[in-house]
């Protein structure tokens, strides 16, 4: 089986001779943040994180997507945090795209490597430290947990992309599959983080139009994506940010698999 590929930004800056052309798009229905915009100058520092910087790809915006934030975090050797989040209502999901780190959740230690996924509940205390000799880069998705009376918060979970069998979508002959890190029927979870894989030629053959907001980070490959009836080319390292009800579909043109990390909000009544 081919080893998965995970694109990770490294920053830097283009030369002064480069033309000012790129694929960045921001509309009232969707945004495309291409990998070429993830430069040193747009990184952010985070409170209580040492030797760390982050590309903040999404944050709640009134009138756009409002449920989550998503970062790509880069932690240098020896860096990390003993106090990762200043919001007591935040739950977190981490997905490692390069390097490794040591994650501790409520006193239990986990060694993260490329492809590691960690779900960290709102009630947990956690730390992260890069004890390796190279940078660690990971996605960090945060969402305020929506409590429901009679339903407990979900437990912590640490697994790896390589250890989860993808679920083939019906009637696709394996051309479209989803790697689900948690059971979608588990009502304790109010967000879902998955990896969607299309083989060359695979398609979403209708315009999905639904209440869930999305963050989609392309881990591998390329495709053309229909976003609110605009056809947009995307490739590894690009991020798509979709508000609720934005029509969406895609065609994976190849030559290899097209894979993306997907966020969506699930399993709750819309707020009134």
């Amino acid at each position: 089986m081919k080893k998965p590929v995970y694109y990770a930004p490294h920053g830097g800056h283009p030369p002064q001779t480069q033309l000012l052309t790129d694929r960045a798009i921001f509309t009232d229905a969707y945004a495309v943040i291409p990998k070429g915009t993830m430069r040193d100058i747009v990184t952010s520092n985070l409170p209580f994180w040492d030797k760390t910087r982050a590309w903040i790809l999404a944050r709640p915006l009134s009138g756009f997507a409002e449920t989550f934030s998503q970062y790509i975090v880069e932690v240098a050797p020896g860096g990390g945090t003993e106090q990762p989040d200043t919001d007591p209502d935040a739950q977190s999901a981490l997905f490692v795209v390069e390097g490794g780190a040591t994650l501790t959740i409520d006193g239990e230690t986990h060694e993260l490597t490329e492809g590691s996924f960690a779900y960290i509940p709102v009630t947990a205390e956690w730390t992260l430290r890069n004890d390796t000799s190279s940078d660690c880069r990971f996605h960090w998705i945060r969402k305020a947990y929506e409590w429901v009376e009679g339903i407990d918060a979900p437990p912590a979970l640490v697994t790896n992309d390589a250890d989860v069998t993808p679920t083939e979508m019906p009637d696709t002959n394996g051309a479209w599959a989803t790697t689900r890190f948690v059971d979608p029927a588990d009502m304790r979870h109010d967000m879902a983080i998955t990896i969607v894989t299309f083989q060359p030629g695979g398609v979403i053959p209708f315009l999905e139009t639904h209440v869930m907001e999305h963050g989609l980070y392309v881990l591998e490959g390329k495709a053309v994506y229909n976003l609110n009836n605009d056809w947009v080319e995307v490739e590894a390292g690009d991020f798509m940010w979709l508000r609720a009800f934005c029509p969406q579909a895609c065609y994976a043109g190849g030559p290899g698999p097209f894979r993306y990390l997907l966020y969506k909000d699930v399993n709750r009544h819309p707020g009134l």
Side-chain angles (χ1 to χ4, degrees):
M1 182 178 178
K2 178 178 173 288
K3 182 180 179 182
V5 174
Y6 308 113
Y7 186 93
H10 284 229
H13 283 282
Q16 293 287 293
T17 54
Q18 181 167 314
L19 291 175
L20 183 61
T21 56
D22 212 327
R23 296 166 291 112
I25 304 168
F26 193 96
T27 75
D28 58 5
Y30 71 90
V32 177
I33 303 175
K35 64 181 180 182
T37 67
M38 297 179 200
R39 304 293 186 174
D40 295 343
I41 199 171
V42 298
T43 58
S44 297
N45 296 325
L46 301 173
F48 309 114
W49 285 79
D50 301 322
K51 299 181 180 180
T52 298
R53 62 179 185 171
W55 287 274
I56 298 179
L57 303 178
R59 48 157 285 189
L61 290 179
S62 179
F64 192 69
E66 301 178 341
T67 61
F68 75 108
S69 65
Q70 183 163 346
Y71 315 158
I72 300 175
V73 182
E74 178 184 272
V75 183
T81 182
E82 302 296 313
Q83 188 179 343
D85 204 320
T86 55
D87 187 340
D89 296 323
Q91 60 185 321
S92 294
L94 312 181
F95 183 78
V96 180
V97 289
E98 189 171 61
T102 300
L103 171 68
T104 300
I105 306 173
D106 289 334
E108 185 173 350
T109 298
H110 308 271
E111 295 302 323
L112 304 182
T113 59
E114 290 182 13
S116 286
F117 171 84
Y119 172 75
I120 305 168
V122 60
T123 55
E125 294 185 2
W126 62 285
T127 66
L128 185 140
R129 186 64 55 182
N130 181 2
D131 296 322
T132 75
S133 59
S134 59
D135 291 341
C136 176
R137 296 179 177 90
F138 61 91
H139 285 259
W140 181 8
I141 298 171
R142 302 167 62 245
K143 180 182 184 296
Y145 186 67
E146 297 180 56
W147 292 95
V148 175
E149 186 175 355
I151 298 177
D152 294 331
L157 170 69
V158 180
T159 185
N160 193 286
D161 177 23
D163 298 328
V164 181
T165 301
T167 301
E168 294 184 4
M169 298 296 285
D171 303 318
T172 63
N173 197 30
W176 176 8
T178 302
T179 301
R180 295 185 171 97
F181 295 112
V182 300
D183 182 355
D186 187 343
M187 296 302 297
R188 294 175 298 180
H189 286 276
D190 66 357
M191 68 175 179
I193 315 296
T194 63
I195 294 177
V196 179
T197 301
F198 288 93
Q199 299 305 321
V203 300
I204 297 177
F206 67 102
L207 281 172
E208 294 187 27
T209 308
H210 51 64
V211 70
M212 286 82 78
E213 298 177 348
H214 278 335
L216 300 91
Y217 179 83
V218 183
L219 298 167
E220 179 182 2
K222 61 181 181 179
V224 286
Y225 232 96
N226 188 304
L227 300 170
N228 201 29
N229 291 314
D230 298 330
W231 283 101
V232 179
E233 293 182 294
V234 293
E235 63 179 354
D238 294 345
F239 179 73
M240 290 170 278
W241 185 14
L242 282 58
R243 68 179 300 173
F245 301 108
C246 175
Q248 59 199 269
C250 79
Y251 172 78
F258 174 61
R259 307 186 80 216
Y260 54 81
L261 184 71
L262 172 70
Y263 160 87
K264 62 181 177 181
D265 48 311
V266 296
N267 294 345
R268 294 294 185 270
H269 287 291
L272 300 178

